[in-house]
Amino acid sequence: MSQAMPTALPRWDLSNVYPDLESPAYQQDLDRFREETARLQSHLDAGDQDFTAHLSGAVQAANAALLTGRTLRAYLNSFVSTDSYNTLALRKLSEFEQLHVELQKQFTRLEAWIGRSADRLDQAIAQDPVLREHEFYLREASEQSRYLMSEAEETLAAELNLSGGNLWSKLQGAVVSQLNVPFAENGEEKQVPATTLINYRSHPDADVRRRAYETEMKAWEQVRNPLAAAMNGIKGTVITLDRRRGREDALHSAIDAARLDRKTLDVMLSVMRESFPMFRRYFRAKAAHLGKEKLAWYDLFAPVGKIQTEFSYAQARDFVLRHFEAFSPDLAVFAARAFDNNWIDAGPRDGKRAGAFCMAVPGVKESRVLSNFDGSLDQVFTLAHELGHAFHNDCMFAAGRTELQRSTPMTLAETASILCETIVVNAALKEAKDRQEELAILESSLNNASQVIVDIYSRFLFEKEVFERRAKAELSAEELCEIMEWAQRETYGDGLDERYLHKYMWTWKPHYYSTGLSFYNFPYAFGLMFGIGLYAIYLERGPAFVTDYRRLLSSTGMARPADLAAGFGIDLSKPDFWERSLQVVNGQIEQYAAIKAV
């Protein structure tokens, strides 16, 4: 980590949610969660006596249970995600998950009831204001109810998930977050979390990058067998349940969860594939800047150009706020609130999960952001990205959306984060003092774009192949590595040195280890291109865009992406929009390649 950074980066504060894990306030909400779940059940038990009244009551009870439950889960995750050694938090999370299964059962019953009562929905919605406000949810629930097993089977599946898929996911998180390995830097060898090695990929010293990569490969090799078991357990469970529910394949449920159709997804994926030669030009240009013929995996994130690459956390804060201000004063005020009130858990440490994320805490109408800030420009942009998620949450809270109305698909969940990151990147480019600073900023932007288009596509190919093979037999760790390298060769092509790929990408990415959401990848590409496309519209319309944009963010749980996009004149089923978005990236690649290597 940079010496310019403070020794103790801020950790998030959730004391305004509950004083601690054993406080009376926490226990009261746990009891309230039980009561709200029971209230939902009582409406379902009596539903056919007065359909409209009990459906309205069920919707209100569902919202209340979700509000309390999501607040409890966020609070518990704030401990577990930052300290996997915290046995009290892990036990409390397990206790909560036992209770949450009951809510899942009632939601399954609710969805099935709505499906059975489709012929009565129109009249009920017309009669009741609560149901009118939740019409989108009700219509979607009715449609998706066709993919439910019997009530007894869904109940059994939910209960078995606690000791099946859920534990496989926890195993992956614990193994990855607690793996420590020896690594030498500045002549001193020390034990570092394996997840910290990932941050060395952007180290300015090529030897450090290479050694970190080699150490990382050996580290994942030590734990690959239990992680392969977790992967097999997760994917096997999903395949079995999808088959019983009448799904075409694992992608079917992911598309529905994203609120897309296969045609739109195929069009988007096709445009992504056609862009690979463009990104390979970037990889070759980067190799030239690094004085190499081809990029090895450990050079993919190497810094290029000259800029203040070691930001203190305070400097990162000022950088983000200044550029947010240029887009919207409201956005800057909001982000300052997040910084000033310790909504961000900033730095890497043993027991903390890798990567970055933002979670809503609906009980207090706030968000919390996890990052692994290392002082790099890339991590500054990551802060902007995650704060975009938090702003999205705030738009929904400010509009008074209920929990059912806030249920946003991943495709739209990336809208604000990508746009906020784009704001900061483009503003930084305009302020570049010379060509080398311009090069450094372009590098950070293009590196991110290549990850979201090229690498995300490789992850899509990997997961699709894993599902297809897992349907026939369990996969060994070696097979998983072979599939990952194949997927990377298919996408990166001759842009990378094939001798140095990352066959263990499947081990530490938590996205593969969920029974509830498969293909946690293509929505990121949707988000990037949708966010860039919206930013282009902002450049045309100026400040007038912001009001419509906030309205869109507040409504992402209440409409399909195609309908919200149509409000901005965008047709997602045609390649034109996706191609225009990637042309913005192509312009940056041309700009990048035109700067001579030094």
Side-chain angles (χ1 to χ4, degrees):
M1 292 172 61
S2 164
Q3 292 181 350
M5 292 169 62
T7 55
L9 289 166
R11 301 189 181 192
W12 51 27
D13 178 12
L14 284 93
S15 59
N16 65 326
V17 184
Y18 307 112
D20 59 61
L21 285 164
E22 297 183 296
S23 66
Y26 174 86
Q27 187 58 49
Q28 286 168 8
D29 263 11
L30 208 60
D31 293 339
R32 180 180 295 111
F33 180 66
R34 289 191 186 93
E35 294 165 3
E36 289 161 347
T37 301
R39 184 157 59 93
L40 171 58
Q41 180 178 349
S42 68
H43 284 293
L44 296 174
D45 290 343
D48 289 330
Q49 297 174 16
D50 186 342
F51 177 72
T52 300
H54 282 295
L55 180 58
S56 179
V59 166
Q60 293 174 69
N63 275 319
L66 286 173
L67 177 65
T68 306
R70 287 173 175 172
T71 302
L72 287 164
R73 186 181 289 279
Y75 187 72
L76 292 165
N77 281 337
S78 74
F79 291 93
V80 173
S81 62
T82 56
D83 181 9
S84 61
Y85 298 103
N86 190 324
T87 55
L88 174 61
L90 289 168
R91 179 170 60 80
K92 292 285 187 181
L93 178 59
S94 179
E95 292 171 354
F96 170 76
E97 287 170 341
Q98 297 279 351
L99 294 178
H100 194 265
V101 166
E102 188 58 38
L103 180 62
Q104 288 178 278
K105 294 177 189 176
Q106 301 312 318
F107 260 94
T108 299
R109 291 185 63 199
L110 174 60
E111 190 172 300
W113 181 40
I114 293 170
R116 290 194 309 270
S117 309
D119 58 336
R120 295 190 282 178
L121 269 185
D122 287 346
Q123 183 177 359
I125 290 169
Q127 290 176 344
D128 188 90
V130 171
L131 299 182
R132 279 198 298 277
E133 291 173 0
H134 293 85
E135 180 173 1
F136 179 78
Y137 164 75
L138 295 169
R139 303 289 188 195
E140 185 175 57
S142 179
E143 173 70 20
Q144 291 301 308
S145 68
R146 70 176 67 183
Y147 302 113
L148 289 175
M149 299 182 290
S150 69
E151 184 176 325
E153 288 173 313
E154 289 291 353
T155 295
L156 179 61
E159 291 176 349
L160 286 176
N161 189 55
L162 286 176
S163 54
N166 192 47
L167 284 185
W168 285 122
S169 180
K170 287 183 177 180
L171 173 66
Q172 187 270 344
V175 168
V176 169
S177 65
Q178 295 179 17
L179 180 61
N180 292 286
V181 293
F183 186 73
E185 185 181 11
N186 300 323
E188 178 186 357
E189 185 173 283
K190 54 185 177 180
Q191 290 288 120
V192 300
T195 52
T196 296
L197 289 172
I198 298 167
N199 283 341
Y200 283 106
R201 64 190 183 180
S202 58
H203 198 283
D205 188 320
D207 180 65
V208 172
R209 294 196 301 272
R210 178 187 56 78
R211 289 191 297 105
Y213 166 83
E214 292 170 350
T215 304
E216 188 189 345
M217 293 297 103
K218 292 177 183 177
W220 300 130
E221 187 170 5
Q222 296 173 36
V223 296
R224 70 180 195 167
N225 288 329
L227 295 177
M231 179 77 78
N232 277 288
I234 293 283
K235 299 311 185 191
T237 299
V238 172
I239 289 167
T240 300
L241 291 175
D242 280 342
R243 186 183 301 125
R244 294 300 297 265
R245 287 170 175 151
R247 293 287 188 180
E248 296 174 32
D249 51 27
L251 185 57
H252 185 185
S253 58
I255 292 173
D256 280 359
R259 293 177 181 154
L260 294 180
D261 54 61
R262 286 189 187 254
K263 178 187 176 184
T264 298
L265 178 61
D266 288 344
V267 166
M268 186 186 80
L269 291 174
S270 176
V271 172
M272 290 170 66
R273 282 195 303 272
E274 291 169 2
S275 74
F276 292 163
M278 173 183 87
F279 281 102
R280 290 167 189 168
R281 289 202 310 273
Y282 155 64
F283 296 137
R284 287 191 289 271
K286 178 165 185 173
H289 281 294
L290 293 174
K292 300 190 175 186
E293 190 173 326
K294 275 191 174 182
L295 281 182
W297 187 276
Y298 52 80
D299 287 325
L300 261 175
F301 301 91
V304 172
K306 296 178 181 178
I307 196 172
Q308 178 192 357
T309 55
E310 296 182 350
F311 286 79
S312 71
Y313 187 70
Q315 288 170 328
R317 175 190 184 278
D318 293 344
F319 191 85
V320 169
L321 293 183
R322 180 159 52 89
H323 294 316
F324 278 5
E325 174 75 24
F327 174 79
S328 166
D330 288 348
L331 177 60
V333 168
F334 169 79
R337 180 180 164 211
F339 280 109
D340 296 344
N341 290 281
N342 290 331
W343 290 7
I344 303 171
D345 194 290
R349 57 185 180 274
D350 184 24
K352 181 177 175 179
R353 62 160 284 182
F357 68 78
C358 171
M359 63 180 183
V361 190
V364 290
K365 293 184 170 53
E366 295 175 355
S367 297
R368 293 296 184 272
V369 167
L370 179 142
S371 73
N372 279 274
F373 185 78
D374 63 0
S376 66
L377 181 64
D378 182 61
Q379 284 294 316
V380 176
F381 292 155
T382 296
L383 279 175
H385 180 102
E386 299 304 334
L387 286 168
H389 283 301
F391 181 68
H392 189 167
N393 289 334
D394 191 64
C395 287
M396 289 189 280
F397 289 140
R401 303 305 187 202
T402 66
E403 291 306 294
L404 289 173
Q405 292 171 331
R406 287 202 318 107
S407 295
T408 295
M410 273 188 61
T411 37
L412 294 173
E414 294 299 316
T415 303
S417 57
I418 293 296
L419 195 140
C420 279
E421 188 174 352
T422 303
I423 289 167
V424 172
V425 170
N426 286 2
L429 273 173
K430 288 182 180 179
E431 293 184 2
K433 299 179 179 65
D434 53 42
R435 295 287 273 178
Q436 286 303 302
E437 187 165 307
E438 176 187 356
L439 181 64
I441 298 167
L442 283 169
E443 164 59 31
S444 183
S445 177
L446 291 173
N447 183 274
N448 177 67
S450 71
Q451 286 296 291
V452 175
I453 300 299
V454 182
D455 198 66
I456 283 292
Y457 201 103
S458 77
R459 296 183 218 173
F460 175 83
L461 289 179
F462 169 82
E463 193 161 5
K464 187 171 182 292
E465 184 72 12
V466 166
F467 269 118
E468 290 174 1
R469 293 200 200 182
R470 180 63 183 89
K472 301 172 185 175
E474 292 179 18
L475 301 171
S476 66
E478 188 60 36
E479 285 178 282
L480 292 170
C481 289
E482 289 171 0
I483 296 170
M484 182 58 80
E485 287 190 308
W486 162 79
Q488 290 169 355
R489 287 193 298 270
E490 288 291 306
T491 48
Y492 286 93
D494 62 4
L496 288 187
D497 187 333
E498 288 194 11
R499 297 173 299 171
Y500 304 101
L501 300 176
H502 198 317
K503 64 182 181 180
Y504 288 121
M505 279 287 287
W506 60 271
T507 58
W508 64 271
K509 280 287 182 186
H511 297 171
Y512 300 123
Y513 299 86
S514 168
T515 56
L517 182 59
S518 303
F519 290 97
Y520 201 118
N521 37 58
F522 69 81
Y524 279 102
F526 181 105
L528 175 77
M529 291 185 278
F530 191 56
I532 290 175
L534 286 177
Y535 184 77
I537 295 173
Y538 159 69
L539 293 179
E540 294 173 0
R541 293 178 50 186
F545 167 86
V546 177
T547 300
D548 290 339
Y549 172 64
R550 288 187 65 117
R551 188 180 302 113
L552 179 148
L553 294 181
S554 74
S555 305
T556 51
M558 301 170 66
R560 295 178 65 82
D563 296 328
L564 291 173
F568 288 86
I570 298 169
D571 185 347
L572 298 179
S573 67
K574 300 291 195 306
D576 306 27
F577 170 72
W578 308 110
E579 289 169 350
R580 283 197 302 272
S581 292
L582 286 180
Q583 279 305 310
V584 174
V585 179
N586 186 53
Q588 289 189 345
I589 291 174
E590 297 295 336
Q591 192 177 350
Y592 180 93
I595 301 175
K596 293 182 179 180
V598 293

